[in-house]
Amino acid sequence: MMLEVENLNTSYGISHILFDVNLKVDKGEVVCIIGRNGVGKSTLLRSIMGLTEHRTGAIRFNGTPIISKKPFEISRIGIGFVPEDRIIFPNLTVKENLEMGMKNGDRGFWTLEQVYRMFPVLKDRYAQWGGTLSGGEQQMLTIARTLMGNPELLLLDEPTEGLSPLIVKELEAQIRALKAKGLTILLAEQNPYFTLNLSDRAYILEKGQIKWEGKVEILKKNKEILKKYLGI
């Protein structure tokens, strides 16, 4: 098992956000955390990445406990995080943004050439300032920059937020291509149509608790669960 989250509780101050969350991701899977806005999806990813302090529980990556590690240490051992707010360097070029994602001495699969092959628009914009890109292009740049660190596990937080349907379709194709290359992905998203098309397994989060888990094929046929928690 690549990632294991066990009985995780997370709070912001006195506000208890996650309640005894259990989650597993195996190598090569695309697993989604799905639910309405504000149910704790981003908090769960931030907790895995060490950006939000946990209260109790355990998180293991390839069998190694990581819950006490700092975000840069978690990144170094192979977890890449794409936040929902598309944090890029607006005053650096696309190429410079990508180079910022490289690890010292990294000789992994993801190079500038590979990233440009996956995201051709970034090759076309390589000399353009990051801050002048469209929202969709900034999202691609954020994902591509994270890939430059050659992660084993990619955490994607609300990647379709604020994007047009056309760009969402393009992003779906790119994530599908990453899946075909064997990259393990944990995806937090409130757009069920986008998410269920990509994922192998799903966890439904509601008010900080896992309410359903299982294979996506089963979830698609469960109209009662889809309507109750996802409104579809």
Side-chain angles (χ1 to χ4, degrees):
M1 194 63 60
M2 180 175 282
L3 179 71
E4 297 175 90
V5 177
E6 187 176 292
N7 297 325
L8 181 68
N9 288 267
T10 300
S11 301
Y12 292 118
I14 62 172
S15 298
H16 197 161
I17 306 299
L18 299 179
F19 299 83
D20 294 320
V21 169
N22 291 278
L23 176 147
K24 294 182 179 181
V25 181
D26 210 350
K27 184 176 176 62
E29 281 191 308
V30 176
V31 175
C32 64
I33 307 159
I34 192 167
R36 295 182 175 91
N37 191 36
V39 298
K41 301 186 301 295
S42 295
T43 299
L44 178 50
L45 291 193
R46 289 177 59 85
S47 297
I48 293 169
M49 201 64 206
L51 293 164
T52 300
E53 189 175 352
H54 74 289
R55 178 181 285 180
T56 59
I59 303 174
R60 290 179 289 274
F61 179 64
N62 289 328
T64 300
I66 63 170
I67 203 159
S68 61
K69 293 184 181 295
K70 297 186 181 301
F72 74 89
E73 295 173 317
I74 293 172
S75 175
R76 285 177 179 172
I77 64 173
I79 301 180
F81 179 49
V82 179
E84 64 176 320
D85 41 10
R86 302 170 200 156
I87 300 172
I88 62 165
F89 298 99
N91 297 322
L92 295 181
T93 66
V94 167
K95 183 173 181 287
E96 289 168 339
N97 266 276
L98 293 172
E99 290 171 340
M100 290 293 288
M102 296 175 65
K103 295 176 183 175
N104 291 335
D106 203 334
R107 296 292 184 272
F109 174 81
W110 291 103
T111 62
L112 278 173
E113 290 88 8
Q114 289 290 349
V115 162
Y116 286 153
R117 193 172 292 120
M118 177 67 65
F119 301 95
V121 68
L122 298 182
K123 184 176 183 179
D124 296 338
R125 306 274 196 276
Y126 80 97
Q128 190 171 324
W129 302 119
T132 66
L133 300 177
S134 69
E137 290 166 347
Q138 288 188 12
Q139 182 65 282
M140 293 175 200
L141 178 57
T142 308
I143 294 172
R145 186 186 61 199
T146 305
L147 292 174
M148 289 292 288
N150 282 283
E152 291 184 61
L153 171 64
L154 185 65
L155 308 181
L156 288 175
D157 191 7
E158 302 282 3
T160 71
E161 182 71 26
L163 300 183
S164 69
L166 184 63
I167 298 298
V168 168
K169 278 290 184 186
E170 186 177 348
L171 186 62
E172 180 182 333
Q174 289 161 338
I175 294 174
R176 196 178 300 280
L178 293 176
K179 177 181 179 179
K181 290 183 181 298
L183 186 63
T184 307
I185 300 172
L186 180 58
L187 168 65
E189 177 62 62
Q190 61 178 307
N191 181 342
Y193 304 102
F194 173 83
T195 310
L196 298 181
N197 281 338
L198 289 169
S199 304
D200 301 303
R201 291 190 299 110
Y203 290 84
I204 295 179
L205 198 61
E206 175 74 12
K207 295 181 179 178
Q209 296 178 301
I210 300 295
K211 295 297 186 178
W212 189 92
E213 62 179 279
K215 292 184 177 181
V216 164
E217 294 84 10
I218 297 174
L219 178 57
K220 286 179 176 180
K221 297 174 183 177
N222 194 327
K223 294 182 179 180
E224 182 180 348
I225 292 295
L226 289 172
K227 183 177 181 180
K228 181 177 181 179
Y229 294 113
L230 304 178
I232 61 174

